[in-house]
Amino acid sequence: MMDRLDDINIEGFSTLPSPREIKAALPLSERAATVTAWGRHTIEQVLDRTLDRQLVISGPCSIHNVDAALEYARRLKQLADRVADRIVLVMRTYVEKPRTTVGWKGLIYDPDLDGCCDIEKGLRVARRLMLQIAEMGLPLATEVLDPVMPQYLADLVSWAVIGARTTESQTHRQLVSGLSMPTGFKNPTDGSIRVAIEAIKTAAAPHSFLGVTGEGRSGFFRTRGNRYGHLVLRGGAAGPNHGSEHVAYARVLMQKMGVAPNIIIDCSHANSGKVAERQVEVLLDAIGQVTAGETSLVGTMLESNLVEGRQDVRCAQQAEPGLSVTDACIGWDTTERAVLQAYEALHRRGEAL
């Protein structure tokens, strides 16, 4: 009877290399380390208001093709250099994807999009890709989903976010308290802002929790707290929340709750009604609020890829490179025009000051 109590629904398991083993095989280069540290420090300066720049976190909803991601990164780096005096461009490098029900969970979990879930391969592919992008000179952004994953990848991440489905999770709030980079909390899918602000406050405090060490063993961690948590407005069940009235409400509520009023607008999801091209309107509306004097807005997020739209695929060989396999994205030409429009508006404001 006793041997029928454990693992009843486990069909099988395999061991993974430890975080230290993966990092030894794909070590952090000096160039990648410098770019990651620069990205973190620059974002912290934006949040501290010691650097007058806007963050724009742009990239695919999820990465499924390495070559296309590298091509996107090359284009984004060229654009980043053009707008650097007003905008800090950070590349979305999402290699995990939360699912409302079921579906493809991202490059790490299923790198071949065939359901085989070769996670060891996915870890190596994702880390190698992130190294290559960082070495181009682009700081990286990603969503933290699995609590173990930061041990494998966090040394390459300049900005992290906790998604709408996990903002209420105590595990993720504790995890953020020990992360080394600025981290945003999205409001939940129901649109509640207070929940996300509570998450920021929680993550700013010290915590103790169980985790996995670099050697792959269970460990007990104590954290100092992460003072660079901030709010990401992504809309909710009631509709968008990127407008000036929503931003003002969030700013006042954050101040009342003792949280620094740092807000990023996610231009996608409910803020765009899940219509990819509407992201441009949301971006320019946010920039308009900044130029009109709204001080709490520090950045925006764009779901952007080489090709506009999305596709349904059964395996990697059938997938078109640069076309999203999850949420629909705006294409590169639209992205470039939108960022340059935002830059011009910010540049005019700077000249007027």
Side-chain angles (χ1 to χ4, degrees), residues 25-33 35-36 63 65-77 91-93 95 107 121-140 153 155-157:
L26 295 162
L28 186 68
S29 67
E30 184 174 347
R31 168 65 170 163
V35 170
T36 302
I63 289 174
N65 182 284
V66 168
D67 290 339
L70 291 173
E71 174 58 27
Y72 185 96
R74 282 188 282 269
R75 298 185 189 186
L76 195 68
K77 176 63 170 101
M91 181 165 167
R92 279 180 62 118
T93 315
V95 290
L107 186 69
K121 176 180 177 180
L123 281 169
R124 295 181 187 276
V125 169
R127 184 168 175 84
R128 184 179 295 109
L129 171 65
M130 293 170 81
L131 277 167
Q132 290 174 292
I133 295 173
E135 286 167 354
M136 289 183 192
L138 276 174
L140 304 184
L153 301 174
D155 56 335
L156 286 158
V157 177

Side-chain angles (χ1 to χ4, degrees), residues 9-331:
N9 290 318
I10 301 298
E11 186 176 289
F13 76 93
S14 58
T15 58
L16 287 173
S18 70
R20 182 159 293 177
E21 289 172 318
I22 293 290
K23 289 179 177 179
L26 295 162
L28 186 68
S29 67
E30 184 174 347
R31 168 65 170 163
T34 299
V35 170
T36 302
W38 173 84
R40 292 178 182 178
H41 178 63
T42 301
I43 294 167
E44 289 170 0
Q45 287 182 301
V46 172
L47 296 172
D48 285 335
R49 305 299 195 278
T50 59
L51 181 66
D52 184 19
R53 300 286 188 279
Q54 280 286 300
L55 304 174
V56 175
I57 299 152
S58 179
C61 174
S62 58
I63 289 174
H64 71 276
N65 182 284
V66 168
D67 290 339
L70 291 173
E71 174 58 27
Y72 185 96
R74 282 188 282 269
R75 298 185 189 186
L76 195 68
K77 176 63 170 101
Q78 292 176 353
L79 182 58
D81 291 342
R82 293 175 64 184
V83 301
D85 62 321
R86 300 294 175 196
I87 292 174
V88 179
L89 270 174
V90 182
M91 181 165 167
R92 279 180 62 118
T93 315
Y94 280 36
V95 290
E96 299 180 87
K97 287 301 297 179
R99 311 308 306 190
T100 302
T101 53
V102 294
W104 185 65
K105 294 195 292 185
L107 186 69
I108 288 178
Y109 295 92
D110 190 9
D112 297 316
L113 286 84
D114 58 2
C116 289
C117 297
D118 187 345
I119 293 179
E120 180 175 346
K121 176 180 177 180
L123 281 169
R124 295 181 187 276
V125 169
R127 184 168 175 84
R128 184 179 295 109
L129 171 65
M130 293 170 81
L131 277 167
Q132 290 174 292
I133 295 173
E135 286 167 354
M136 289 183 192
L138 276 174
L140 304 184
T142 198
E143 178 174 343
V144 176
L145 185 57
D146 190 294
V148 175
M149 215 54 70
Q151 289 285 30
Y152 288 94
L153 301 174
D155 56 335
L156 286 158
V157 177
S158 293
W159 183 85
V161 69
I162 302 299
R165 297 166 186 83
T166 42
T167 284
E168 293 186 78
S169 161
Q170 177 177 318
T171 298
H172 288 80
R173 294 177 179 191
Q174 292 175 161
L175 177 64
V176 172
S177 76
L179 290 180
S180 301
M181 72 291 294
T183 302
F185 284 92
K186 289 193 178 185
N187 65 259
T189 54
D190 67 1
S192 169
I193 295 174
R194 182 177 291 273
V195 168
I197 300 172
E198 290 170 346
I200 296 167
K201 289 192 71 172
T202 302
H207 288 277
S208 300
F209 57 88
L210 296 174
V212 174
T213 68
E215 292 75 25
R217 299 181 62 183
S218 295
F220 184 59
F221 294 81
R222 297 181 182 87
T223 71
R224 295 190 179 94
N226 188 338
R227 73 182 188 90
Y228 286 106
H230 48 279
L231 177 64
V232 180
L233 296 178
R234 47 87 71 200
N241 62 5
H242 64 83
S244 58
E245 68 279 16
H246 300 98
V247 172
Y249 172 77
R251 169 171 35 81
V252 171
L253 184 57
M254 293 175 84
Q255 290 168 333
K256 287 182 177 179
M257 294 178 66
V259 170
N262 288 318
I263 301 171
I264 287 178
I265 298 295
D266 180 351
C267 298
S268 186
H269 301 101
N271 275 335
S272 66
K274 282 193 166 290
V275 178
E277 55 268 27
R278 288 184 186 166
Q279 291 185 78
V280 177
E281 299 172 23
V282 180
L283 169 68
L284 297 179
D285 177 76
I287 296 299
Q289 292 179 55
V290 172
T291 58
E294 178 56 70
T295 59
S296 67
L297 285 180
V298 296
T300 48
M301 298 179 68
L302 293 171
E303 288 192 328
S304 158
N305 215 323
L306 296 177
V307 182
E308 184 169 332
R310 65 172 304 278
Q311 61 184 320
D312 291 309
V313 295
R314 294 180 180 272
C315 66
Q317 288 74 22
Q318 296 176 351
E320 179 181 344
L323 179 61
S324 178
V325 298
T326 45
D327 289 349
C329 297
I330 55 175

